[in-house]
Amino acid sequence: MREEQKQKQLLSIIFQKGYAFRLAERMCKVRAVLEKKIKLNLSVDHFELLEAIDPQLRYYYEELLRSEHNLLEREKMMMQDTYGKPLLITNKLVSFIAAGAELDTDFDTFPNHYIKFSFEGPAENLKHLNEREDQLSVYSDKLKDLQDYSHATIEYFVRNVDLSQYEKEEREETFSKLQQYSNEYLDREKNCLPLSVIRVTHIEGLKEKHMKFGCERLRDVIFEDLSCSESDLNSLIKKYENGSNLLVRKVRGIERVG
Amino acid sequence: MGLGGMLEIKNIKRLSITECPQLSTIDIKCDQLENAILRNNCNLTHIYINSKKLMNLDCSQCSKLRLENIGIYIFMKCNVLLCSNSCDGDVKRLEDKNYSIFLTRILRYLFNRFHSENLYKLDLALTLNKLELIDEKYYMFGSTRFNPSGLANNLSFITKAGTEALRITQQQIIELFMKNEFIDVLSIDEMLKVQLECLRVAVNYLKTTKVVRPLKELIFREIIKTPELFN
């Protein structure tokens, strides 16, 4: 047998560039939700799973299913706008794609994924998955000592991991560690990079004075699933206005942004 | 924070505020803002956004939001994707329903036309400068600031803007409407509605002024054809 023929053969399907990782990421998110539920001996519905991977779609389906209209009317609701004219299908698709991209790492460039149509074969996909294995591990292992992780992994964790699976104390500890880490770049000896993302989640009564994240090189600011007073949220938005993307989702207790 | 409770934010390019159950008003000034996603806010009733760069505003599935309560910077550089509200509304390109675009198109047309014909020898830079001044005053409209539900208000708005920036009279603007000058920039139904409103304004003009100024024959002819306007 010739030498070339002894090479390892991989049999798989091709993915659009980056999508094997995205798929793996989604599976990790679903696994994290399932593990938590199993641990607490609770059942899980598909809305909770959708919430983990695509919150906008979860909201849309939930609204439709909980609606008091009959099935025919609901079907009509999906297909028509308030003026009774058919929806522009392209808009609907764009909207859904955009919805999925809301929390993406690189949502500035997301349309390129859909336009370029560059594909990767199994070997490339496997290579990329291996390269980013540590990032996927943050869904199952709780982030403990930050020194054990690369800067990219810490940023990935901040951006993606749902802290609701953490106990309250663990959550507070992680929050304070991340806050400390975000300011370490000020210490030149440590040779750290500033965080490009701030994500605050699952905090009841968030106060502006408790947020002391470094904001140099800040790009994304995310407030998610928390309660906060109106004045505190407005002050926080103002405080971190250096970021170019601001996401406020499921924030309770605010009537006005402005 | 700015005047009147408006929040000024410097660098935000993309804003996403979703699923905030108590949120009723968003009032921000952000010069860099390009995309605003304000979906699924069930109590949201008023949006005021002041951004010269806004390209995409998506406020779908905000069931209490009404178009007349959306105030956006009026002179957009690009098309705005406004999405209609509520679950049954979902997503809709409101190109023709979007009054800001409606007004912008008319004003742009006016500026282009009057500039190109050199009627008033206005320098383009000066015109744009004037436009900026108008921006500051009328950059947004909403229930308290501007009521787009009445086309009469739109007309007076257009006239005011046109008068300030181009020194053209209301009658000249009405005349342009009646000559179907805007047919390229308005849909037929928009055109007819505005023309009818123009006639109402002209009739009102005739009824309220003691000195009858010469109305253009075209307008006069149309008024005579529609006597019920006097009722």
Side-chain angles (χ1 to χ4, degrees), chain A residues 10-158:
Chain A
L10 285 171
L11 192 60
S12 169
I13 55 169
I14 55 167
F15 284 95
Q16 230 188 94
K17 200 173 177 183
Y19 270 74
F21 179 78
R22 191 169 286 210
L23 194 62
E25 186 185 45
R26 289 190 161 203
M27 287 164 96
C28 287
K29 284 180 180 175
V30 168
R31 190 177 64 188
V33 175
L34 289 174
E35 277 174 355
K36 183 189 164 195
K37 293 286 175 181
I38 290 166
K39 197 174 154 191
L40 298 169
N41 205 15
L42 292 171
S43 59
V44 61
D45 64 17
H46 68 282
F47 286 131
E48 284 170 273
L49 295 178
L50 263 183
E51 170 69 21
I53 57 171
D54 199 336
Q56 167 67 15
L57 207 55
R58 188 271 304 158
Y59 185 93
Y60 187 78
Y61 285 162
E62 212 171 6
E63 286 288 297
L64 272 177
L65 289 175
R66 286 186 183 164
S67 158
E68 287 173 1
H69 294 87
N70 67 34
L71 266 180
L72 275 175
E73 284 168 335
R74 271 185 264 168
E75 190 199 8
K76 217 171 158 188
M77 279 156 65
M78 282 188 80
M79 299 309 294
Q80 286 191 338
D81 63 20
T82 42
Y83 298 92
K85 291 174 186 167
L87 274 174
L88 293 173
I89 299 301
T90 47
N91 269 354
K92 200 172 169 188
L93 277 178
V94 166
S95 168
F96 277 163
I97 292 166
E102 235 172 55
L103 284 171
D104 276 0
T105 321
D106 49 356
F107 55 54
D108 272 351
T109 55
F110 94 92
N112 292 336
H113 296 310
Y114 298 89
I115 295 162
K116 280 182 182 168
F117 293 112
S118 53
F119 293 94
E120 284 181 336
E124 285 161 310
N125 281 324
L126 201 63
K127 187 180 155 216
H128 289 155
L129 283 176
N130 286 334
E131 277 170 4
R132 298 178 73 177
E133 197 182 356
D134 58 331
Q135 292 188 354
L136 293 175
S137 73
V138 297
Y139 290 105
S140 47
D141 303 330
K142 286 180 181 169
L143 203 67
K144 286 183 182 133
D145 202 347
L146 295 185
Q147 286 165 343
D148 297 343
Y149 299 92
S150 68
H151 179 78
T153 305
I154 292 171
E155 286 212 330
Y156 182 83
F157 173 88
V158 175

Side-chain angles (χ1 to χ4, degrees), chain B residues 130-185:
Chain B
K130 289 266 184 191
L131 200 63
E132 289 293 323
L133 288 175
I134 293 168
D135 273 0
E136 289 305 315
K137 277 189 248 171
Y138 303 106
Y139 67 84
M140 55 179 65
F141 53 87
S143 56
T144 53
R145 307 177 202 209
F146 184 74
N147 178 14
S149 60
L151 279 162
N153 286 340
N154 280 351
L155 187 65
S156 67
F157 171 80
I158 295 162
T159 312
K160 195 165 183 191
T163 313
E164 283 184 25
L166 296 162
R167 299 172 210 285
I168 53 176
T169 63
Q170 189 177 48
Q171 192 168 319
Q172 280 174 298
I173 292 175
I174 291 176
E175 204 188 339
L176 288 171
F177 275 115
M178 298 310 290
K179 280 182 178 171
N180 292 336
E181 286 275 357
F182 297 101
I183 202 74
D184 294 341
V185 286

Side-chain angles (χ1 to χ4, degrees), chain A residues 51 55-56 58-60 63-64 76-78 80-83 85-88 91-92 94-96 98-102 107-108 110 221 231 234-235 237-238 240-258, chain B residues 1 4-28 33 37 39-42 44 48 56 58 60-63 67 81 83-94 97 145 189:
Chain A
E51 170 69 21
Q56 167 67 15
R58 188 271 304 158
Y59 185 93
Y60 187 78
E63 286 288 297
L64 272 177
K76 217 171 158 188
M77 279 156 65
M78 282 188 80
Q80 286 191 338
D81 63 20
T82 42
Y83 298 92
K85 291 174 186 167
L87 274 174
L88 293 173
N91 269 354
K92 200 172 169 188
V94 166
S95 168
F96 277 163
E102 235 172 55
F107 55 54
D108 272 351
F110 94 92
V221 184
S231 58
N234 284 321
S235 306
I237 292 173
K238 190 77 189 150
Y240 296 110
E241 65 180 353
N242 284 347
S244 55
N245 301 315
L246 170 65
L247 193 148
V248 179
R249 183 173 164 258
K250 281 189 175 180
V251 174
R252 299 171 297 278
I254 48 160
E255 286 187 12
R256 185 184 173 93
V257 172
Chain B
M1 261 168 250
M6 180 194 279
L7 181 67
E8 284 193 47
I9 319 169
K10 265 187 205 158
N11 296 323
I12 306 287
K13 281 186 183 169
R14 184 179 161 121
L15 171 72
S16 171
I17 302 180
T18 56
E19 292 182 64
C20 294
Q22 286 106 16
L23 185 65
S24 64
T25 305
I26 294 171
D27 190 352
I28 53 169
L33 189 67
I37 297 173
R39 284 187 287 237
N40 309 343
N41 296 301
C42 55
L44 189 63
Y48 303 115
N56 179 12
D58 176 352
S60 54
Q61 298 180 38
C62 295
S63 51
L67 188 60
L81 183 77
C83 298
S84 72
N85 52 50
S86 78
C87 191
D88 53 339
D90 194 41
V91 185
K92 159 94 172 103
R93 182 184 284 273
L94 282 167
K97 307 284 177 198
R145 307 177 202 209
D189 59 324

